[in-house]
Every structure is written in C-alpha cells, then in structure tokens.
Amino acid sequence: MIPFLDLKAQYASIKDEIDAAVLGVLASAQYVLGPEVSQFEEEFAAYCDAKHAVAVNTGTSALHLALLAAGVGPGDEVITVPFTFVATVSAVCYAGALPVFVDVEPVTLTMDPAKLEAAITPRTKAIVPVHLYGQMADMDAIMAIANRHGIAVIEDACQAHGAEYKGRRAGGIGASGCFSFYPGKNLGACGEGGIVVTNNDEHAKAMRMLRDWGQERRYHHLVKGFNYRMDGIQGAILRVKLRHLDAWTAARRAHAVRYSSMLSSLDIVETPAEVAYRRHVYHIYAVRCRDRDSLHRALEAEGIQSGLHYPIPVHLQKAHEDLGYRLGDFPVSEAAARSVLSLPIYPEMTARQVEQVVATVEHDAYVS
C-alpha cells in the first residue's frame, strides 16, 4: 500500500516536538490566538519576506479577509481562474463580489496573463492568481497589468508554501498572499488553519480586526467582523513544522525529479514542468494522461493511491452555474480537468515507493 499522503509518518518523525508544543499550550491555557500564534505570525512573515502575517482559521478565511482589506465588496468584479479548488471562488462570493474567470496557461496551469487584460472592466477590483500545485503564476506579467489599471493582486498561495518566482517568495509580491494550513498542505496544521501575509500596514490592521469580531480592543467593535481566529494549539504546531519545511520541500523536489526522470520516456503521461525562474514546491505532482481513468484504476488495483485535482473546473460546477459560463468557455482548464492525475508525493516517501509507482504506470502503458 502506498498512500497518497502519509501524515502519520510525518507526525512520527517529529512526535516529541509536536507533543511538547501542544502540552505547552494546554499548560498555558492560551487556547485562542495568544503568544504561540503571535510568534508563528512573526516567523511565517519572515519566511515569506513579508512585513506582516495575520493568522486565521482557514485558507478560505485568509482569502476572504484579504479581499475585504483590498476594498472588494458588492458590485465589484474579481478575476481569477476556473481551474482551482472551489474555495478561491467562494471567498470572492463571501465578499459580495462577482467572480470573473480567465483561462490558464497550458504548461503551468496557472493564470494566463495573455487572457487577463481582456477580462478587466471598470468594475474589476482585484485579481487572484492561483499558484497551483506549488508553482507560482507569472507574477511579473500579472503585476504589470494590474498596476497599469490600479487593481489589487491577491495571491492564492494556499498550495505554494515556500515557492519562489525570480527569487521572491510566494505571498510577498501582491497586495496580500493567502495560505492554507489544511493538514495535507506542505505546511499543514493538525486541523484547520490559514494566514495572510502583506506589506501593507493598513491591510494588516484591518484584517486583524476583521478576524476577531471587528474589535480594535476587547468589546470595542469598530467594524462588523468574523470569528476567524487561529487557535493556540495550531499556532504552536505550525511553529514546530515551519522549522522542518525547507527540508520537507527539498525531499518533495527530489521525489519530483526522480518521477520526471523515470516517466519522461512514456508517451501516455506528460510530466509537470518547472518553468524557468519559478521554484516549484510540489504540493501536488500532477501528470497529464492520455487515459487518466485507466491509469487511476491501475494504480488503485496495485494499492497505490492517486488523486484528481480537479476533475470539474469551477465554471462547470452546479453551485456556480449562476455565473453563466458554459462548456467550451475555458478549453485549457477543461482539458486539464479531463487529463490530470496526481501521483503520491510526500517528504517521507522512499525512493523505492517512487519506483513502485513508476513501475505501475509503465505496466499500464504497456498493456494499454
């Protein structure tokens, strides 16, 4: 059995550190926000080369608050991509704005800057590029367009902890960058969590109030806010895990190199490309397949878990049919949704396990 992700193995590798961190919070009784969360905010901001970090309860909440801090509200439009997890679009809807889609690039499956400018209208208030699977979008091109039109860029970096674009860390290029700490992320909590990083003092101040019922200080509510606070135990756990993130990223990248080297000769799969000047952190190792469903079944028959990220683009989801998009509107996203298969990748994976996955793919190629 080769799992898609092995969180038990990760916990076992740092058990003593995690246990001590959790027990420390229990002893302090600082369960909501508190010193562990504050220290994690400082450490994660430094990791992203950003001035501020505002810890929240989920990556979706991070996106919501970043949009609100940028002034997004009812009547506004926010441009993003349809090939993403639905939370990207849900956050736009939470802010009361209208999601507007542009297609993705064929190679990276991130926002296609060549399609962006045509989607901008006088109502466009923000652009949300998604750093899909752990590789950043073409931020220079996107920022140039956004700056020309005076539009805020909010990075959806929920899959891109530590990813880089021309030496700059994910999250620190746009007005804000949003991360998820869902357990399966490269930096994952033992539960839910999220964070926004920003270099804008006013945005940081606004988000700190909004996450905590709109309070400037206790019982002094200046704005209508939310209960989006991170709990102390997650802050303590994430502080421990952040110390290991670079080593885990190096292991993921090594596995990706091994996969790509061994799979490159097979014509039934196309391996992911790491584009020049973009450091991919491989939250997902997604191949594109001629017959994705056949390979998915073949791996499952051998006890190898694989994933589908994402089989239905957001513009074709029933929940968002009110946006008025139809099949054929975004052909690159739709083709990716039909062909992408995610192979197991996690830091604790062994070279032998990678070889087993590749052998199964090769066998499927032979019998197909």
Side-chain angles (χ1 to χ4, degrees), residues 32-42 52-58 61-62 64-66 68-69 194-196 203-216 221 223-231:
V32 179
L33 296 177
E36 290 290 344
V37 173
S38 296
Q39 289 177 69
F40 174 63
E41 289 175 327
E42 292 179 10
H52 303 282
V54 181
V56 292
N57 58 341
T58 68
S61 298
H64 184 199
L65 294 192
L68 294 179
I195 205 164
V196 189
H203 286 195
K205 180 180 178 181
M207 289 186 287
R208 290 188 189 283
M209 285 195 294
L210 286 167
R211 74 173 174 185
D212 190 17
W213 296 115
Q215 299 181 104
E216 183 181 43
H221 304 267
V223 294
K224 295 175 182 176
F226 310 90
N227 182 5
Y228 283 174
R229 299 169 298 199
M230 177 179 281
D231 71 68

Side-chain angles (χ1 to χ4, degrees), residues 3-70:
F4 183 71
L5 176 68
D6 194 344
L7 292 178
K8 290 182 179 179
Q10 183 185 85
Y11 171 60
S13 72
I14 54 172
K15 181 180 186 301
D16 291 346
E17 294 174 79
I18 293 291
D19 291 356
V22 171
L23 290 173
V25 175
L26 295 178
S28 73
Q30 298 291 313
Y31 299 133
V32 179
L33 296 177
E36 290 290 344
V37 173
S38 296
Q39 289 177 69
F40 174 63
E41 289 175 327
E42 292 179 10
E43 291 160 6
F44 194 76
Y47 184 81
C48 296
D49 298 322
K51 188 175 181 181
H52 303 282
V54 181
V56 292
N57 58 341
T58 68
T60 312
S61 298
L63 287 163
H64 184 199
L65 294 192
L67 289 164
L68 294 179

Side-chain angles (χ1 to χ4, degrees), residues 26-367:
L26 295 178
S28 73
Q30 298 291 313
Y31 299 133
V32 179
L33 296 177
E36 290 290 344
V37 173
S38 296
Q39 289 177 69
F40 174 63
E41 289 175 327
E42 292 179 10
E43 291 160 6
F44 194 76
Y47 184 81
C48 296
D49 298 322
K51 188 175 181 181
H52 303 282
V54 181
V56 292
N57 58 341
T58 68
T60 312
S61 298
L63 287 163
H64 184 199
L65 294 192
L67 289 164
L68 294 179
V72 174
D76 294 329
E77 294 176 354
V78 175
I79 300 173
T80 189
V81 294
F83 195 62
T84 181
F85 184 58
V86 71
T88 308
V89 178
S90 296
V92 175
C93 297
Y94 293 171
L98 178 71
V100 174
F101 295 125
V102 296
D103 213 344
V104 296
E105 296 177 327
V107 174
T108 65
L109 303 182
T110 59
M111 180 178 282
D112 188 344
K115 307 285 178 59
L116 178 56
E117 198 140 22
I120 294 173
T121 76
R123 296 171 62 190
T124 305
K125 197 63 174 282
I127 298 168
V128 182
V130 178
H131 301 329
L132 193 74
Y133 298 158
Q135 181 161 228
M136 292 179 67
D138 188 354
M139 290 302 294
D140 278 357
I142 292 168
M143 291 299 297
I145 294 168
N147 290 338
R148 190 157 61 244
H149 291 271
I151 299 169
V153 174
I154 309 297
E155 298 175 61
D156 182 339
C158 288
Q159 300 182 2
H161 313 70
E164 295 179 3
Y165 178 91
K166 298 183 179 180
R168 293 172 290 172
R169 282 274 168 91
I173 298 176
S176 296
C178 304
F179 296 83
S180 167
F181 301 126
Y182 185 76
K185 303 295 186 181
N186 292 25
L187 179 62
C190 294
E192 298 274 11
I195 205 164
V196 189
V197 298
T198 183
N199 292 308
N200 187 303
D201 296 346
E202 292 304 312
H203 286 195
K205 180 180 178 181
M207 289 186 287
R208 290 188 189 283
M209 285 195 294
L210 286 167
R211 74 173 174 185
D212 190 17
W213 296 115
Q215 299 181 104
E216 183 181 43
R217 64 184 192 275
R218 192 165 177 81
Y219 300 130
H220 290 72
H221 304 267
L222 303 189
V223 294
K224 295 175 182 176
F226 310 90
N227 182 5
Y228 283 174
R229 299 169 298 199
M230 177 179 281
D231 71 68
I233 287 176
Q234 300 308 334
I237 289 168
L238 288 164
R239 290 189 69 205
V240 170
K241 289 192 172 187
L242 182 59
R243 297 196 290 267
H244 297 273
L245 181 56
D246 285 342
W248 290 341
T249 298
R252 284 177 177 273
R253 287 175 54 79
H255 294 327
V257 168
R258 187 171 289 111
Y259 266 136
S260 293
S261 175
M262 290 189 287
L263 291 171
S264 61
S265 62
L266 300 181
D267 63 3
I268 70 160
V269 297
E270 179 184 344
T271 58
E274 182 176 47
V275 177
Y277 307 114
R278 304 189 208 181
R279 178 178 182 261
H280 203 318
V281 295
Y282 293 100
H283 169 59
I284 298 292
Y285 185 87
V287 297
R288 278 179 267 189
C289 312
R290 193 169 60 207
D291 188 347
R292 189 261 308 281
D293 294 338
S294 172
L295 180 55
H296 189 47
R297 289 192 298 268
L299 290 166
E300 184 179 11
E302 294 299 317
I304 299 169
Q305 294 180 347
S306 57
L308 304 177
H309 300 89
Y310 300 96
I312 305 174
V314 181
H315 72 288
L316 299 180
Q317 295 282 356
K318 183 173 178 58
H320 292 288
E321 63 184 5
D322 60 314
L323 297 176
Y325 294 106
R326 297 289 181 268
L327 182 67
D329 285 345
F330 304 104
V332 181
S333 294
E334 292 164 18
R338 292 190 298 268
S339 63
V340 165
L341 182 69
S342 307
L343 301 182
I345 192 166
Y346 48 93
E348 300 79 17
M349 199 174 184
T350 66
R352 176 59 185 150
Q353 286 175 313
V354 173
E355 291 165 3
Q356 286 179 259
V357 175
V358 172
T360 302
V361 176
E362 289 176 333
H363 178 71
D364 188 62
Y366 177 76
V367 301

